[in-house]
């Protein structure tokens, strides 16, 4: 992200809307994320491999001498106020801010009174975690304003509570962790059983990350995501009942992937396919980490393609637009591999490309997609960036 441009925009808004100037130390940024592989595994206690990207949210603030939090969003041109009392969920952007405030208060963490202006260069509802970026930016701002000394993992946990408990989206913790803990030039292998994190360096000179936005908007709160999550839980319960999963298994991570054949016999076909996706996806995450570590990008690409097939056929979260974007990428020389990224049902695809051929791959995708759907997708060539922090 161009933090400077976002900072300038936010600072100008703080002045125009509230007549305030940003205070020293009260300017933070939090990136969006793209997931390299490990989809729908986070809420199943599994493995994910996201990277924070160089697009995100900047928040600037000035202290107030009361407990009010007044917040202005430059992208929406909207202003909201959160008082000291309970905040009623309104179904809009302010819920993400209020949710973080509620999470802080429920853990008896002080919430400073502030005037805040926000600026972002992330497209909304396209699967690049604009909401996690906003939540983590607010958690980071409240942390620095209150001199609380929280670490990135704690901010991510509070941001995730906001989304789960207040906004009401039953997501896993991947997006908030990626935004809070990202590392420059690295992806993060996160084990969602214990939330341990390992940085996996990306070979930037040989590989660029191209994101293509299908333009199909999706909302996690609207049903499909929650249904998949419920199917995973139902399948696990059935696996426990039949003794294939240990009685103590609390997520699919506690189930031996070698029992897939038994699972196929015991589970309803759709629940089996969901489980097969989760169990094989965990293995693909570690296989991608190993291939990245030995610099075998052809293998990384093949694993991404296998991940896409699994999301399409087993987890059933792809759709024609996303399939076509991946097929077009995979058919173009210079593209190692493609898959949908994030929850699916719409949003973006990720393509790993040779740096010198990134433009050619994008051009081939653009024209092929336009032929099929009569419109052009949007492109973002991104770099792996540092996680949230002071500006
Ligand atoms: C969304 C959720 C994440 C994760 C992905 C799918 O991005 O917010 O927690 O479940 O979908 O991998």
């Amino acid at each position: 992200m161009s933090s400077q441009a976002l900072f300038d925009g936010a600072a100008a808004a703080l002045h125009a809307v509230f007549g305030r100037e940003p205070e020293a130390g009260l300017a933070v940024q939090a990136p969006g994320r793209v997931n390299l592989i490990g989809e729908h595994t986070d809420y199943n206690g599994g493995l994910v491999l996201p990277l924070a990207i160089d697009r995100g949210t900047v928040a600037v603030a000035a202290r107030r001498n009361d407990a009010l939090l007044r917040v202005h969003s430059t992208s929406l041109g909207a202003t909201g106020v959160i008082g000291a009392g309970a905040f009623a969920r309104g179904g809009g952007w302010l819920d993400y801010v209020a949710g973080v405030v509620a999470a802080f208060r429920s853990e008896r963490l002080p919430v400073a009174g502030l005037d805040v202006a926000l600026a972002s260069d992330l497209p909304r509802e396209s699967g690049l975690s604009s909401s996690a970026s906003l939540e983590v930016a607010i958690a980071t701002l409240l942390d620095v304003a209150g001199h609380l000394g929280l670490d990135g993992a704690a901010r991510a946990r509070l941001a995730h509570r906001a989304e789960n408990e207040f906004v009401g989206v039953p997501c896993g913790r991947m997006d908030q962790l990626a935004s809070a803990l990202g590392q420059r030039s690295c992806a993060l292998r996160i084990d969602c059983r214990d939330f341990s994190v390992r940085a996996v360096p990306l070979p930037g000179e040989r590989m660029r990350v191209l994101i293509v936005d299908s333009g199909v908007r999706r909302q996690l709160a609207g049903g499909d995501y929650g249904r998949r999550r419920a199917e995973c839980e139902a399948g696990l319960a059935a696996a426990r009942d039949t003794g294939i999963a240990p009685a103590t298994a609390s997520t699919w991570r506690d189930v031996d992937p070698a029992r897939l054949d038994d699972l196929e016999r015991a589970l309803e076909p759709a629940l089996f396919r969901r489980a097969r996706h989760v169990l094989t996806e965990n293995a693909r995450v570690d296989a991608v980490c190993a291939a990245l570590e030995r610099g075998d990008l052809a293998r990384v690409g093949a694993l991404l393609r296998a991940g896409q097939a699994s999301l399409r056929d087993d987890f059933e979260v792809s759709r024609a637009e996303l399939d076509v974007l991946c097929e077009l990428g995979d058919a173009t020389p210079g593209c190692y591999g493609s898959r949908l990224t994030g929850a699916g049902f719409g949003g973006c695809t990720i393509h790993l490309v040779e740096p010198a051929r990134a433009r050619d791959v994008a051009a081939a995708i653009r024209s092929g997609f336009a032929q099929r759907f009569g419109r052009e997708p949007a492109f973002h060539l991104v770099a792996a960036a540092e996680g949230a922090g002071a500006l």
Side-chain angles (χ1 to χ4, degrees), residues 33 35 38-43 48 127 129 163 169 171-176 218 220 225 342-344:
R33 68 95 188 89
N35 192 16
E39 223 65 88
H40 291 278
T41 45
D42 59 353
Y43 56 82
V48 294
S129 294
E163 182 120 10
V169 176
C171 62
R173 210 185 293 180
M174 164 171 74
D175 306 343
Q176 291 80 9
R218 45 153 205 101
L220 287 191
Y225 183 90

Side-chain angles (χ1 to χ4, degrees), residues 127-149:
L128 299 180
S129 294
S130 57
S131 52
S133 152
L134 171 56
E135 292 153 359
V136 172
I138 297 296
T140 306
L141 184 64
L142 295 180
D143 180 16
V144 298
H147 306 291
L148 307 181

